[in-house]
Amino acid sequence: MTNVEIPPEHPRAESLKIREKLIENYVNGVVASAGLIAHGRGEAFDYLLGERTTEPALKAIKAAAAALLTAERPVISVNGNTAALAAEDTVKLAKAADAKIEVNLFYRSIERETAIKRLLEKAGAAEVLGVGEDASARIPELTSERRRVDPRGILIADVVLVPLEDGDRTEALVRMGKKVIAIDLNPLSRTAQKASITIVDNVVRAMPKLVETVKKLKMESLDKRRKILLQFDNHRNLAESLNIIRERLSKLAEEGKNIVFGK
Ligand code: PTJ
């Protein structure tokens, strides 16, 4: 713990609590130091989006739920930030969508892999792939440590959910013929642009909504799920997110006063 008391009436209490969670998990060895920097970048985009789940994000969540439920071998790829911010929802999602959970890190070390595995098990995960020697397969043409994957998981997956990802691996997974679902607050990132379905939202908000949507969509027919997927256009959806930012900034600039961009 960082011994910081966040007053509940603080206007940015929620955001500060999330930061504390990341710092705590950085100290525990779950989050990479670069993960703290990545979070700051995400926060900046969250301000621009209005710190809410937008309509295009909801559409992408629905398409993501449909993709997970029509998949034969869905896998949720977990890194340090995702484990710190959404371990319980990751486990809930894996159960609801009958997906496997695999640890996959950019800054790989056996200590971090093990710490993340333990956190996921504490959250209720029965099986966590990709730790240590289990990540014995390689994604072709990828040089980062993210290339090491589990032959029972990401290697043979047809749909991979990659919250907080880097562009290289997203591209490599797409090249391997997999459908990639990304959660990324930055609609301009290479990950966002290269993924098959991009949820432009905070993992903290998107993951519980994805769990809820998967549960609802499970009641529907396979035909309905396929139709949702066919109707979804990722580039059009990303453009809608950019439009939301543009319109919001124009409106705020026109109003010109009382703009409080948090702390
Ligand atoms: O745990 P590791 O070793 O796999 O490392 C993880 C990080 C995040 C350090 C690594 O994947 C990395 O360097 O990522 P990038 O390239 O900085 O990309 C992170 C992306 O996630 C950026 O586009 C951020 O805007 C976005 N992001 C950050 N926090 C959130 C987020 N998107 C959704 N929700 C967030 N809370």
Side-chain angles (χ1 to χ4, degrees), residues 2-39:
T2 54
N3 293 326
V4 173
E5 278 225 5
I6 299 160
E9 68 282 2
H10 191 290
R12 307 273 323 144
E14 274 317 303
S15 169
L16 293 179
K17 273 193 238 159
I18 292 171
R19 280 190 187 175
E20 285 305 307
K21 223 178 197 182
L22 280 168
I23 296 168
E24 192 185 317
N25 279 287
Y26 166 68
V27 174
N28 292 347
V30 165
V31 172
S33 48
L36 301 177
I37 299 170
H39 183 73

Coordinates of all heavy atoms in Angstrom, one line a residue, residues 2-39:
T2 N 0.3 2.3 -0.5 CA 1.1 3.6 -0.6 C 0.8 4.5 0.6 O 1.3 5.6 0.6 CB 0.9 4.2 -1.9 OG1 -0.5 4.4 -2.1 CG2 1.4 3.4 -3.1
N3 N -0.1 4.1 1.5 CA -0.4 5.0 2.6 C -1.1 6.3 2.3 O -1.0 7.2 3.0 CB 0.8 5.2 3.5 CG 1.3 4.0 4.2 OD1 0.5 3.1 4.5 ND2 2.6 3.9 4.3
V4 N -1.7 6.4 1.1 CA -2.4 7.6 0.7 C -3.8 7.4 1.0 O -4.4 6.5 0.5 CB -2.1 7.9 -0.7 CG1 -2.9 9.1 -1.2 CG2 -0.6 8.2 -1.0
E5 N -4.4 8.3 1.8 CA -5.8 8.3 2.0 C -6.5 9.2 1.0 O -6.2 10.4 0.9 CB -6.1 8.7 3.4 CG -5.9 7.6 4.4 CD -7.0 7.5 5.5 OE1 -8.0 8.3 5.4 OE2 -6.9 6.7 6.4
I6 N -7.5 8.6 0.3 CA -8.2 9.4 -0.7 C -9.5 9.8 -0.1 O -10.4 9.0 0.1 CB -8.4 8.6 -2.0 CG1 -7.0 8.3 -2.6 CG2 -9.1 9.5 -3.1 CD1 -7.0 7.2 -3.6
P7 N -9.7 11.1 0.1 CA -11.0 11.5 0.7 C -12.2 11.2 -0.3 O -12.1 11.5 -1.5 CB -10.9 13.1 0.9 CG -9.5 13.4 0.4 CD -8.8 12.2 -0.2
P8 N -13.2 10.5 0.2 CA -14.3 10.1 -0.7 C -14.9 11.3 -1.5 O -15.5 11.1 -2.6 CB -15.3 9.4 0.2 CG -14.8 9.6 1.6 CD -13.5 10.1 1.6
E9 N -14.9 12.5 -0.9 CA -15.5 13.6 -1.5 C -14.6 14.3 -2.5 O -15.0 15.2 -3.2 CB -16.0 14.7 -0.5 CG -14.9 15.4 0.3 CD -14.3 14.6 1.4 OE1 -14.7 13.4 1.6 OE2 -13.4 15.1 2.1
H10 N -13.4 13.8 -2.7 CA -12.5 14.3 -3.7 C -13.1 14.2 -5.1 O -13.6 13.1 -5.4 CB -11.1 13.6 -3.6 CG -10.0 14.3 -4.4 ND1 -10.0 14.3 -5.8 CD2 -8.9 15.0 -4.0 CE1 -9.0 15.0 -6.2 NE2 -8.3 15.4 -5.1
P11 N -13.1 15.3 -5.9 CA -13.7 15.2 -7.2 C -13.1 14.2 -8.1 O -13.8 13.7 -9.0 CB -13.5 16.6 -7.8 CG -12.5 17.3 -6.9 CD -12.5 16.6 -5.6
R12 N -11.9 13.7 -7.9 CA -11.3 12.7 -8.7 C -11.0 11.4 -7.9 O -10.1 10.7 -8.3 CB -9.9 13.3 -9.3 CG -10.0 14.6 -10.0 CD -10.4 14.5 -11.4 NE -9.8 13.4 -12.2 CZ -10.5 12.8 -13.2 NH1 -11.7 13.2 -13.5 NH2 -10.0 11.9 -13.8
A13 N -11.9 11.2 -6.9 CA -11.6 10.0 -6.0 C -11.5 8.7 -6.8 O -10.6 7.9 -6.5 CB -12.7 9.9 -5.0
E14 N -12.4 8.5 -7.7 CA -12.4 7.2 -8.5 C -11.1 7.0 -9.2 O -10.5 6.0 -9.2 CB -13.6 7.2 -9.5 CG -14.9 6.7 -8.8 CD -14.7 5.4 -7.9 OE1 -14.2 4.4 -8.4 OE2 -15.1 5.5 -6.7
S15 N -10.7 8.1 -9.9 CA -9.5 8.0 -10.7 C -8.3 7.8 -9.8 O -7.4 7.0 -10.2 CB -9.4 9.3 -11.5 OG -8.2 9.5 -12.1
L16 N -8.3 8.5 -8.7 CA -7.1 8.3 -7.8 C -7.1 6.9 -7.2 O -6.0 6.4 -7.0 CB -7.2 9.4 -6.6 CG -7.1 10.8 -7.1 CD1 -7.2 11.8 -5.9 CD2 -5.7 11.1 -7.8
K17 N -8.3 6.3 -6.9 CA -8.3 5.0 -6.4 C -7.7 4.0 -7.4 O -7.0 3.1 -7.1 CB -9.7 4.6 -6.1 CG -10.1 5.0 -4.7 CD -11.4 4.3 -4.3 CE -12.5 5.3 -4.0 NZ -13.8 4.8 -4.0
I18 N -8.0 4.2 -8.7 CA -7.5 3.4 -9.7 C -5.9 3.5 -9.8 O -5.2 2.5 -9.9 CB -8.1 3.7 -11.1 CG1 -9.6 3.3 -11.1 CG2 -7.4 3.0 -12.2 CD1 -10.4 3.8 -12.3
R19 N -5.5 4.7 -9.7 CA -4.0 4.9 -9.6 C -3.4 4.2 -8.5 O -2.3 3.5 -8.6 CB -3.7 6.4 -9.5 CG -3.8 7.2 -10.7 CD -3.2 8.6 -10.5 NE -3.5 9.4 -11.6 CZ -3.2 10.7 -11.7 NH1 -2.7 11.3 -10.6 NH2 -3.4 11.4 -12.8
E20 N -4.0 4.3 -7.3 CA -3.5 3.6 -6.1 C -3.4 2.1 -6.3 O -2.4 1.4 -5.9 CB -4.3 3.9 -4.9 CG -4.1 5.3 -4.3 CD -2.7 5.6 -4.0 OE1 -2.0 4.8 -3.3 OE2 -2.2 6.6 -4.5
K21 N -4.4 1.5 -7.0 CA -4.5 0.1 -7.3 C -3.3 -0.3 -8.2 O -2.6 -1.3 -8.0 CB -5.8 -0.2 -8.1 CG -6.4 -1.4 -7.6 CD -7.7 -1.6 -8.4 CE -8.7 -2.5 -7.8 NZ -9.9 -2.7 -8.6
L22 N -3.0 0.6 -9.2 CA -1.9 0.3 -10.1 C -0.5 0.4 -9.3 O 0.3 -0.5 -9.5 CB -1.9 1.3 -11.3 CG -2.8 0.9 -12.4 CD1 -3.0 2.0 -13.3 CD2 -2.4 -0.4 -13.1
I23 N -0.4 1.4 -8.5 CA 0.8 1.6 -7.8 C 1.1 0.4 -6.8 O 2.1 -0.2 -6.7 CB 0.9 2.9 -7.0 CG1 0.8 4.1 -8.0 CG2 2.1 3.1 -6.1 CD1 0.5 5.5 -7.3
E24 N 0.0 0.0 -6.1 CA 0.1 -1.1 -5.2 C 0.5 -2.4 -5.9 O 1.4 -3.1 -5.5 CB -1.4 -1.3 -4.6 CG -1.5 -2.2 -3.5 CD -2.9 -2.4 -3.1 OE1 -3.7 -1.4 -3.1 OE2 -3.3 -3.6 -2.9
N25 N 0.0 -2.6 -7.1 CA 0.3 -3.8 -7.9 C 1.7 -3.6 -8.6 O 2.3 -4.6 -9.0 CB -0.8 -4.1 -8.9 CG -1.9 -4.8 -8.2 OD1 -1.7 -6.0 -7.9 ND2 -3.0 -4.2 -8.0
Y26 N 2.1 -2.4 -8.7 CA 3.5 -2.2 -9.2 C 4.5 -2.6 -8.1 O 5.4 -3.4 -8.4 CB 3.7 -0.7 -9.6 CG 5.2 -0.4 -9.8 CD1 5.9 -0.9 -10.9 CD2 5.8 0.5 -8.9 CE1 7.2 -0.6 -11.0 CE2 7.1 0.8 -9.0 CZ 7.8 0.3 -10.1 OH 9.2 0.6 -10.3
V27 N 4.2 -2.2 -6.9 CA 5.0 -2.6 -5.7 C 5.0 -4.1 -5.6 O 6.0 -4.7 -5.3 CB 4.5 -1.9 -4.5 CG1 5.3 -2.3 -3.2 CG2 4.7 -0.3 -4.6
N28 N 3.8 -4.8 -5.8 CA 3.7 -6.2 -5.7 C 4.4 -7.0 -6.8 O 4.4 -8.2 -6.8 CB 2.2 -6.7 -5.7 CG 1.5 -6.2 -4.5 OD1 2.1 -5.8 -3.5 ND2 0.2 -6.3 -4.5
G29 N 4.8 -6.3 -7.8 CA 5.5 -6.9 -9.0 C 4.5 -7.4 -10.1 O 5.0 -8.1 -11.0
V30 N 3.3 -7.0 -10.1 CA 2.3 -7.3 -11.1 C 2.5 -6.4 -12.3 O 2.6 -6.8 -13.4 CB 0.9 -7.4 -10.5 CG1 -0.2 -7.4 -11.6 CG2 0.7 -8.5 -9.6
V31 N 2.5 -5.1 -12.0 CA 2.5 -4.1 -13.1 C 3.9 -3.7 -13.4 O 4.8 -3.6 -12.5 CB 1.7 -2.8 -12.6 CG1 1.8 -1.7 -13.6 CG2 0.2 -3.2 -12.4
A32 N 4.2 -3.5 -14.7 CA 5.5 -3.1 -15.1 C 5.7 -1.6 -14.9 O 4.6 -0.9 -14.9 CB 5.7 -3.4 -16.6
S33 N 6.9 -1.1 -14.7 CA 7.0 0.4 -14.5 C 6.4 1.1 -15.7 O 5.8 2.1 -15.6 CB 8.5 0.7 -14.3 OG 9.3 0.1 -15.3
A34 N 6.6 0.6 -16.9 CA 6.1 1.2 -18.1 C 4.5 1.2 -18.1 O 3.9 1.9 -18.8 CB 6.6 0.5 -19.4
G35 N 4.0 0.2 -17.3 CA 2.5 0.1 -17.2 C 1.9 1.4 -16.5 O 0.8 1.8 -16.8
L36 N 2.7 2.0 -15.6 CA 2.3 3.3 -15.0 C 2.2 4.4 -16.0 O 1.3 5.2 -16.0 CB 3.2 3.6 -13.8 CG 3.3 2.6 -12.7 CD1 4.3 3.0 -11.6 CD2 2.0 2.3 -12.0
I37 N 3.2 4.4 -16.9 CA 3.2 5.4 -18.0 C 2.1 5.2 -18.9 O 1.4 6.1 -19.3 CB 4.6 5.4 -18.7 CG1 5.7 5.6 -17.8 CG2 4.6 6.3 -19.9 CD1 7.1 5.4 -18.3
A38 N 1.9 3.9 -19.3 CA 0.8 3.6 -20.2 C -0.6 4.0 -19.6 O -1.5 4.5 -20.3 CB 0.7 2.1 -20.5
H39 N -0.7 3.9 -18.3 CA -2.0 4.3 -17.7 C -2.2 5.8 -17.8 O -3.3 6.3 -18.1 CB -2.0 3.9 -16.2 CG -3.3 4.2 -15.5 ND1 -4.5 3.5 -15.8 CD2 -3.7 5.2 -14.7 CE1 -5.5 4.0 -15.1 NE2 -5.0 5.0 -14.4

